[in-house]
Amino acid sequence: MDELFPNAEIESRPPPVVESEHSETDEGLDRKAKGAARKGEPEKFRPTLLPAADGRDSTSEGAARILIDDSSDLELWYGLPAGLAPRVAVGSRVYVPLRNKRAVGTVVGLGSPADAGEGDFQLKPLGGLVDDAPVFTKGLLDLADWVATYYCANRDAVMRSVLPAAVRGDRHSAQSQLFASIRRKPEADEIDAISRRAPRQSSILRELIDAGEALPVTQFGAGAIKPLRGLEEKGWVQLEEKVIDRDPTADEEFVATSALELTAAQESAMAVVRKAIRAQGDSKPVLLYGVTGSGKTELYLQAIEEVVATGKSALVMVPEIALTPQTVHRFKGRFADTDTEVAVLHSHLSQGERFDEWRKIRDGRARIAVGPRSAIFAPFDDLGLIVVDEEHEPSYKQDISPRYNARDIAVVRAHLENCAVVLGSATPCLESWNNVESGKYDLARLDERIDDRELPIIRIVDMRREHRKGGGPAILSERLRSALDQRLERGEQSILFLNRRGFASSLVCPACGHVCECPHCSVSLTFHRSEDRLICHVCGFQQIGPRKCPECGDPSIRFAGYGTERAEEIFRSVYPDARIARVDADTMRRKNQLRETLDAFKRQKIDMLIGTQMIAKGLHFPNVTLVGILNADISLHVGDFRSGERTFQLLTQVAGRAGRGELKGEVIVQTHTPQSPAIQFSRHHDFIGFSEQELEFRKQFDFPPFFHAVQIMCRSSNERLAEFTLESLHKRLVPSIGESVIVGEPAPATLAKAAGQFRFQLLLRGKSARAMGRTIREVLRGMNVPDDVTVTIDVDPMAIG
């Protein structure tokens, strides 16, 4: 089958993968399985056998192939007891006996005992079902196969990603509550008689009659269970346990909204989306390219309404940082007056809330799900539409095994389940845009903002000149200060963006040049004034800041660089009367704190909002007329071929928060490299111009999207051992990989040490990710990788090193 696009090659049924024992996902592999993996022997289709006394177990009704949890792709055959066989299906979670203990696994195949192998043996029987119904749909199992093969991951690791921890264990349960309802309504004289004899029972009866529905027993106060039991015995009241949902938004009210009238441009784009929906998987993926504020979300909502009206379900994916209360409100509000439930899946939910939201989807009560990358595995079996909002976002890429990109998996799942997929962005990733230009994707465009609102004016401030002028804080240019003064005078709001948290990015000695670094990572420690500590943003190491240089003893050691905490202090000192709030990972630790802060900003109780990427996307505040980007260079000067693309995307997205109402917007970008193409193209909102130049650069140097990239990393607490292992792997790969693949040289990673582990990397580039992955796995199987070395494979990495 032809690949749909370079970052997701698809074939109908990929073979299972046997991964190196030294990947990050193999900790649970037992010694026997490790030995087989080292020798390259497949851990597949091996029967779990008992000596037979008189032939096979006559009570067995078939056999099941089980993928054992936490075993690195260990699959074993078990017999199906007669009483259990009708309830077991592919996708069921089951208990099995394994080496004199009980294990949990997933049924991945059914057959007869003969399928398990030859010999006069009987299969061990299954021990029971974890869940009454299968938790994996066929579509999800097929998707797990594809992910394991394409991303060179253990199938068990993929299954752990598909099934949330809240559901995967065998101790999860729904929450139930005792409810009381009227079984037989008493007459007035009967209530009077009860009132004289048992006044508490009488008051409970009256309350139930007035309510006209079942009420939770807790509503009647302490000590109510005894009179309720008495009423139950007399036949007046019925008591029953009911499952209740732990709803993460139960304390919120959602104002119902209705569909808006579409503009001509939106109607044209909607026609492309509608065609894909009606084609039921026979059409191409749709890239919805629309400038910020052009009404992409309204198209999503109306497309979802059409899909749900046909009896199918819809999945909406948003980056984790964009899953703000505003996003949830827009989707919940649109369907507030319908019977369609909207499930929300994200990492801030409790285990109980996540289990209940997942169960809503599996039971068919929720026809719409909204969530970040893990939501791509929501257990729908009737998908009609998948929407990936802000499809360019790097947060869709998982940084631990399996290292999948949820955007790419969305395209694959849509193909496997015959549904439409829409990828939306104001700054599409170059892989997606190249797929449009090569004809693999259909394009829907929104080139203008709603109601003919103008895009904000973007002004570039060269901070090199500002520093030569002197006089003010290094973080605040004269132009930005003047613009902030005007907004405060007019009662308008401003957003100040700085993608670096903390007070100072490092502590430096001016005498000897010593920088306080993390002892476990090759990065400088960031000073956080609120905690009076130096903190490593890689491993979390903390220490109290020194009062004098640890190297030379000079007491003049001082802070260098700045983060959001220092920015807040500076702006509060410059504008003491302004209402200022900071939004970053340090301030938004309490549950619902982000929602409360953004609500206050929406009600115009905050004048300036200072923050990191948490405020960069997905926010709509009509009174915001100024966005200040305090340092546009943070993501630009990084040793990565995507740095220019990321900078352009971030600047354009942040700029899009300004001028979304009736008032005109302005963006001030402070930079030390104003000549950078990423900054100049973003100044003119020119994605087309930027993509043409960047794609030409990528093509000349054989980088994605024209070639696939695969990054291999060896890490160990022993620096020489990690380096030697990668060099040995490199020597074996070169003659095996083929001349069409560009194999780089082993080198220290950009982050050479992290959490006490030395890291060395190797980059491969070729036309087929699957072929490169297959060769890498074969070479690894033939190597004796030291126990202290971890080898990881990252297919289509979003960042190098």
Side-chain angles (χ1 to χ4, degrees):
M1 182 180 299
D2 291 336
E3 61 185 38
L4 289 184
F5 67 117
N7 271 14
E9 301 164 354
I10 294 179
E11 59 184 34
S12 57
R13 181 77 178 183
V17 58
V18 181
E19 188 172 290
S20 163
E21 63 166 306
H22 296 282
S23 76
E24 291 179 341
T25 61
D26 294 358
E27 288 82 353
L29 187 60
D30 60 87
R31 290 182 182 275
K32 185 176 180 181
K34 278 189 176 183
R38 184 179 292 115
K39 297 171 185 175
E41 298 172 6
E43 284 293 308
K44 302 285 180 183
F45 313 114
R46 295 195 293 122
T48 298
L49 304 171
L50 290 173
D54 54 355
R56 296 190 181 274
D57 182 6
S58 61
T59 62
S60 175
E61 292 191 1
R65 196 171 78 248
I66 312 299
L67 176 65
I68 307 297
D69 283 6
D70 304 320
S71 67
S72 184
D73 290 0
L74 181 66
E75 291 184 6
L76 303 173
W77 282 96
Y78 287 86
L80 290 175
L84 198 61
R87 300 165 56 200
V88 175
V90 173
S92 293
R93 298 277 289 162
V94 295
Y95 296 110
V96 294
L98 182 67
R99 294 181 178 85
N100 300 318
K101 64 180 181 180
R102 187 176 73 166
V104 179
T106 303
V107 178
V108 294
L110 295 173
S112 68
D115 295 325
E118 298 296 329
D120 191 20
F121 293 93
Q122 68 183 49
L123 297 173
K124 287 183 179 180
L126 289 180
L129 284 166
V130 177
D131 301 277
D132 291 334
V135 296
F136 290 99
T137 65
K138 182 184 182 301
L140 284 178
L141 287 175
D142 290 342
L143 188 65
D145 278 343
W146 186 91
V147 172
T149 301
Y150 187 82
Y151 290 104
C152 299
N154 286 327
R155 196 174 177 204
D156 175 61
V158 177
M159 299 290 261
R160 286 201 298 272
S161 294
V162 174
L163 198 63
V167 183
R168 184 177 178 84
D170 60 350
R171 296 182 181 275
H172 62 264
S173 62
Q175 188 176 58
S176 61
Q177 191 171 350
L178 190 62
F179 279 76
S181 59
I182 293 293
R183 173 177 285 177
R184 182 170 71 84
K185 185 176 179 181
E187 301 295 335
D189 58 334
E190 291 177 308
I191 293 181
D192 291 340
I194 295 171
S195 180
R196 289 191 296 271
R197 186 173 64 254
R200 184 72 190 278
Q201 289 184 348
S202 173
S203 66
I204 290 175
L205 268 176
R206 294 179 192 275
E207 192 171 343
L208 283 171
I209 293 170
D210 291 341
E213 61 181 0
L215 297 176
V217 169
T218 54
Q219 185 167 319
F220 302 107
I225 189 64
K226 187 174 181 179
L228 278 166
R229 290 296 184 194
L231 290 169
E232 184 183 35
E233 290 175 3
K234 295 179 176 67
W236 302 114
V237 168
Q238 178 176 330
L239 295 177
E240 61 178 338
E241 291 276 348
K242 290 186 177 181
V243 174
I244 60 172
D245 289 326
R246 288 157 285 199
D247 188 349
T249 58
D251 60 340
E252 299 181 51
E253 291 186 9
F254 298 98
V255 179
T257 62
S258 55
L260 304 176
E261 184 178 350
L262 299 181
T263 65
Q266 285 178 310
E267 284 286 4
S268 178
M270 188 65 184
V272 179
V273 175
R274 198 175 281 125
K275 177 185 175 184
I277 293 172
R278 291 173 180 171
Q280 297 185 342
D282 289 335
S283 64
K284 302 173 185 176
V286 175
L287 177 65
L288 177 57
Y289 163 54
V291 298
T292 55
S294 60
K296 294 187 291 294
T297 304
E298 182 62 28
L299 287 192
Y300 301 154
L301 289 165
Q302 294 198 23
I304 291 168
E305 285 178 315
E306 292 192 14
V307 166
V308 172
T310 66
K312 289 187 174 292
S313 301
L315 171 59
V316 182
M317 293 173 57
V318 295
E320 183 80 51
I321 57 173
L323 194 61
T324 60
Q326 234 184 34
T327 306
V328 175
H329 273 261
R330 293 191 74 172
F331 283 92
K332 289 244 181 186
R334 179 58 59 92
F335 298 95
D337 283 345
T338 70
D339 295 331
T340 303
E341 285 198 58
V342 179
V344 180
L345 302 169
H346 59 84
S347 60
H348 293 166
L349 300 182
S350 68
Q351 289 286 72
E353 289 171 339
R354 191 170 179 86
F355 173 73
D356 287 349
E357 294 294 285
W358 182 91
R359 188 164 50 86
K360 280 183 192 176
I361 299 170
R362 187 198 66 177
D363 295 346
R365 290 182 289 127
R367 307 300 301 279
I368 302 166
V370 181
R373 63 172 178 259
S374 59
I376 189 57
F377 301 118
F380 289 115
D381 59 3
D382 57 351
L383 274 173
L385 174 65
I386 301 175
V387 172
V388 184
D389 191 29
E390 308 292 1
E391 62 89 35
H392 65 279
E393 264 296 318
S395 62
Y396 283 127
K397 174 75 170 177
Q398 181 154 289
D399 58 3
I400 60 173
S401 186
R403 291 174 171 79
Y404 65 84
N405 190 315
R407 176 198 66 223
D408 298 352
I409 296 180
V411 175
V412 176
R413 184 172 186 184
H415 171 77
L416 293 174
E417 302 196 25
N418 297 317
C419 75
V421 59
V422 176
L423 314 177
S425 178
T427 54
C429 73
L430 293 182
E431 283 82 359
S432 296
W433 190 253
N434 187 61
N435 288 327
V436 169
E437 294 191 334
S438 62
K440 295 176 182 177
Y441 283 6
D442 285 332
L443 177 65
R445 293 186 65 152
L446 295 172
D447 294 321
E448 303 291 339
R449 281 186 159 185
I450 295 296
D451 298 331
D452 295 324
R453 293 171 187 156
E454 294 183 20
L455 288 167
I457 297 173
I458 298 180
R459 307 185 193 279
I460 307 297
V461 176
D462 188 344
M463 294 302 287
R464 296 171 299 182
R465 295 180 180 177
E466 292 292 320
H467 295 331
R468 286 196 290 268
K469 293 178 186 175
I475 197 173
L476 183 58
S477 64
E478 288 183 10
R479 183 181 285 275
L480 180 57
R481 184 168 186 165
S482 174
L484 287 169
D485 290 340
Q486 294 173 13
R487 268 61 185 189
L488 288 171
E489 290 174 6
R490 300 198 297 246
E492 297 167 9
Q493 293 171 290
S494 304
I495 288 177
L496 301 167
F497 173 78
L498 177 62
N499 203 25
R500 177 184 286 157
R501 60 191 179 95
F503 185 83
S505 55
S506 59
L507 199 56
V508 182
C509 175
C512 70
H514 174 76
V515 177
C516 293
E517 293 187 343
C518 175
H520 311 294
C521 309
S522 55
V523 295
S524 61
L525 294 168
T526 301
F527 180 68
H528 289 248
R529 172 163 284 182
S530 60
E531 301 177 44
D532 193 25
R533 285 182 175 271
L534 290 167
I535 300 176
C536 175
H537 288 175
V538 175
C539 71
F541 171 81
Q542 299 185 18
Q543 71 177 39
I544 297 174
R547 302 306 175 210
K548 58 183 180 179
C549 177
E551 192 73 21
C552 68
D554 193 297
S556 61
I557 189 168
R558 61 169 179 255
F559 302 121
Y562 50 83
T564 49
E565 188 180 15
R566 191 175 187 184
E568 180 186 18
E569 180 182 272
I570 291 172
F571 282 96
R572 286 189 184 279
S573 66
V574 175
Y575 298 101
D577 298 327
R579 298 165 297 177
I580 299 174
R582 173 161 58 99
V583 174
D584 57 25
D586 298 320
T587 59
M588 300 293 113
R589 292 176 178 174
R590 180 172 54 81
K591 189 175 182 179
N592 297 327
Q593 192 166 1
L594 176 60
R595 184 184 73 192
E596 293 166 4
T597 302
L598 295 179
D599 282 346
F601 193 59
K602 184 178 182 179
R603 295 195 300 271
Q604 300 182 28
K605 293 184 177 181
I606 296 171
D607 300 313
M608 297 182 197
L609 195 65
I610 302 172
T612 58
Q613 283 195 82
M614 297 174 76
I615 62 171
K617 307 171 183 69
L619 300 179
H620 179 80
F621 297 111
N623 196 46
V624 172
T625 60
L626 175 66
V627 168
I629 298 173
L630 303 182
N631 187 349
D633 305 322
I634 289 177
S635 61
L636 188 59
H637 304 302
V638 181
D640 187 359
F641 71 92
R642 295 186 193 273
S643 61
E645 179 183 7
R646 277 198 297 267
T647 300
F648 174 85
Q649 290 168 341
L650 194 55
L651 295 183
T652 304
Q653 293 287 340
V654 177
R657 301 314 104 202
R660 298 176 73 93
E662 299 298 328
L663 303 173
K664 193 171 182 179
E666 181 182 8
V667 180
I668 295 177
V669 179
Q670 298 184 162
T671 176
H672 290 83
T673 51
Q675 73 282 0
S676 165
I679 292 174
Q680 287 299 324
F681 279 114
S682 67
R683 177 184 184 182
H684 300 289
H685 308 279
D686 186 5
F687 169 76
I688 304 299
F690 173 78
S691 65
E692 288 177 354
Q693 178 172 309
E694 187 70 11
L695 283 172
E696 182 59 33
F697 159 76
R698 302 272 187 93
K699 189 173 185 178
Q700 286 182 10
F701 292 95
D702 298 325
F703 276 107
F706 303 100
F707 273 61
H708 284 279
V710 178
Q711 179 178 262
I712 305 173
M713 184 172 291
C714 290
R715 56 182 177 83
S716 172
S717 56
N718 186 320
E719 182 177 11
R720 180 64 193 124
L721 196 58
E723 184 179 20
F724 174 76
T725 302
L726 189 62
E727 288 174 347
S728 299
L729 177 59
H730 176 259
K731 288 177 182 178
R732 291 169 179 253
L733 270 175
V734 171
S736 305
I737 199 73
E739 295 182 359
S740 62
V741 177
I742 303 170
V743 183
E745 293 295 323
T750 304
L751 181 60
K753 186 182 180 184
Q757 298 272 304
F758 294 94
R759 296 148 44 96
F760 291 84
Q761 69 180 21
L762 177 65
L763 188 67
L764 286 73
R765 286 170 286 157
K767 289 293 186 181
S768 172
R770 183 176 286 106
M772 287 190 289
R774 187 181 303 116
T775 303
I776 292 168
R777 292 195 301 270
E778 289 172 357
V779 170
L780 278 172
R781 288 193 188 104
M783 283 184 63
N784 187 16
V785 179
D787 290 337
D788 191 35
V789 176
T790 298
V791 180
T792 60
I793 304 169
D794 191 0
V795 179
D796 299 327
M798 291 300 294
I800 304 301

